[in-house]
Amino acid sequence: MKILVTAKRVEDPESKIKVKPDGSGIVQEGLKYKINPFDEIGVEEGLRLVAKHQGEVVVVSIGGKEVQEQLRHALAMGAHRAVWVNHTGPLDQLGIAGLLQKVVEKETPDLVILGKQSIDDDQNQVGQYLAEFLGWGQATFASKVESMESEQEKNKVPAIVLSADKKSVQVIREVDNGLATVECQLPAVVTTDLRLNQPRYASLPGIMKAKSKPIEELTPAKLSVDVTPAIQVLKLSSPPARKAGIKVEDVPTLVEKLRNEAKVV
């Protein structure tokens, strides 16, 4: 089977994010970047599926030349080849989904795996838009019952289960009151949650092999997609500073402050 997986470039969550004084964006000097953690989980799940069922993992990213760093990371993990949509301007979620739709139509994969959201803007929209644009079934927030310490996880058993006839996949997804199991006919779109798997580290041989793996360059113009944003970010602002907490000497004092100062009891 062929699996297409996304690999968005995002700010490292351990970096200190500062908003520009005019609110036009964030200060990028000195920031480190990495592959979106939810997408990295998607790459891992794709690799596990093709290891079990044979096939190919194709990774795709949208952005300037710098996103090749994240594509090479996915290739070093074991992805077979990459697609780079070269675009440096602003994008909204509809534009991203529109570009991915054209890439999917070009590549004709059996399964598309995306992170459920990116950790920079937390939109959680692209997977759903993409499935709608394609007219495919979707399973969002893919997870599993087993823990990260289970034998299945240690043996890198895929949590997304391919049917015997390879015409559908079974996905355990996180819902408000627990877990739900759904089945989607292929081709389908799946978005990953954090508890799906633990991504592998890129090995030194994998890193060396990644240097020679192909990256195909595309553009919105080549894909015939108008990426003019329908949504515009007018201003960014830092969250208000939180008041420092205090320590109290005993429970009665705590209750008194909760009642009279915080007014929560």
Side-chain angles (χ1 to χ4, degrees), residues 3 27 45 55 66 69 76-77 84 108 110 116 126 148 173 180 188 194 228 253:
I3 301 175
V27 178
E45 194 66 16
E66 64 276 1
E69 178 185 356
M77 289 175 66
W84 166 37
T108 63
D110 302 289
K116 73 169 185 178
V126 172
M148 292 300 175
R173 61 185 302 266
L194 284 176
T228 304
T253 304

Side-chain angles (χ1 to χ4, degrees), residues 134-206:
L134 293 168
W136 291 5
Q138 61 177 299
T140 56
F141 315 141
S143 186
K144 64 182 176 184
V145 175
E146 298 82 16
S147 73
M148 292 300 175
E149 288 74 39
S150 66
E151 287 301 313
Q152 291 93 327
E153 178 61 26
K154 292 177 182 177
N155 293 323
K156 300 189 182 302
V157 176
I160 297 174
V161 179
L162 183 65
S163 64
D165 60 7
K166 298 185 178 181
K167 292 183 178 180
S168 65
V169 288
Q170 190 176 91
V171 178
I172 296 173
R173 61 185 302 266
E174 294 198 11
V175 294
D176 290 342
N177 60 348
L179 300 172
T181 302
V182 298
E183 184 175 88
C184 291
Q185 296 299 309
L186 293 178
V189 174
V190 174
T191 71
T192 62
D193 217 319
L194 284 176
R195 285 157 290 279
L196 181 63
N197 62 49
Q198 180 65 48
R200 69 193 68 188
Y201 289 105
S203 65
L204 182 57

Side-chain angles (χ1 to χ4, degrees), residues 246-259:
I246 62 171
K247 292 183 179 180
V248 296
E249 58 272 14
D250 51 40
V251 173
T253 304
L254 173 62
V255 173
E256 186 273 331
K257 288 186 176 295
L258 289 175
R259 178 180 292 121

